[in-house]
Amino acid sequence: MIRSITYKKISVYIFSILTLAVINSSIFAANFALLIGIQDYPDTEAFKSRGFQQLSGPRNDIESIQEILLAPPFDFPNENIHVLLDKNATHSAIEKAFADLKNKLKPNDLVYIHYSGHGSQHEDDDEGDEIPLSIQGQLKRYDSTWVTYGSSA
């Protein structure tokens, strides 16, 4: 059963699911997924000073996506879905999950990565790879990042 999804997230789910459906996972040798969800961030001053608030949907997002991936037409094997939630989704745990995934992959494998949590931006440090945004009348380029559990954003 798919749990309720807020209106803003519906388009993200539809896009993700349609992308997988168009690709048709049956043409791949193996299917792997890394699902990361953080809704209970540490309640620190660094976290609060950036204007972040606790979230209420990431666990639900991950459960819903996992359910979709396990069911037809995708049929991902449960052992090929790695889930990191809340305090288990630290920067180092995510890096390790990517490294472990890389070591498992073979040619023609499919990898699906899903992140649900806060994001952050900082000024672009390798100029020219982002579309400039107009902020207070100035064009600026920003890199986007995931805010992992325990980070200072």
Side-chain angles (χ1 to χ4, degrees):
M1 176 179 95
I2 297 177
R3 289 149 188 84
S4 63
I5 301 169
T6 61
Y7 178 75
K8 292 178 183 178
K9 293 181 183 174
I10 289 174
S11 61
V12 173
Y13 279 120
I14 291 171
F15 176 76
S16 298
I17 293 165
L18 287 177
T19 301
L20 280 173
V22 167
I23 292 173
N24 187 350
S25 61
S26 66
I27 66 171
F28 295 98
N31 299 324
F32 293 90
L34 174 57
L35 310 178
I36 304 162
I38 310 168
Q39 72 182 36
D40 292 329
Y41 285 88
D43 199 21
T44 63
E45 280 307 312
F47 181 75
K48 289 188 244 181
S49 70
R50 295 290 305 259
F52 291 119
Q53 299 176 358
Q54 297 299 341
L55 300 173
S56 60
R59 269 192 232 117
N60 182 54
D61 296 347
I62 298 306
E63 289 172 11
S64 296
I65 288 294
Q66 185 172 15
E67 217 169 271
I68 290 166
L69 293 175
L70 290 168
F74 308 114
D75 296 315
F76 278 53
N78 193 47
E79 63 272 12
N80 289 1
I81 299 176
H82 189 90
V83 176
L84 294 172
L85 291 174
D86 295 326
K87 66 182 178 184
N88 295 316
T90 62
H91 182 85
S92 58
I94 293 170
E95 280 186 332
K96 182 180 180 331
F98 272 104
D100 292 347
L101 188 57
K102 180 183 170 193
N103 291 331
K104 291 178 186 175
L105 294 177
K106 294 183 175 80
N108 300 319
D109 285 348
L110 169 76
V111 176
Y112 177 78
I113 299 168
H114 184 95
Y115 173 79
S116 183
H118 279 296
S120 182
Q121 294 181 325
H122 60 86
E123 286 200 43
D124 186 21
D125 47 2
D126 55 357
E127 297 191 24
D129 61 334
E130 281 82 20
I131 297 171
L133 300 172
S134 178
I135 298 179
Q136 297 178 346
Q138 295 182 14
L139 289 180
K140 294 189 176 192
R141 295 177 187 274
Y142 288 90
D143 287 323
S144 296
T145 63
W146 294 343
V147 178
T148 58
Y149 186 89
S151 72
S152 61

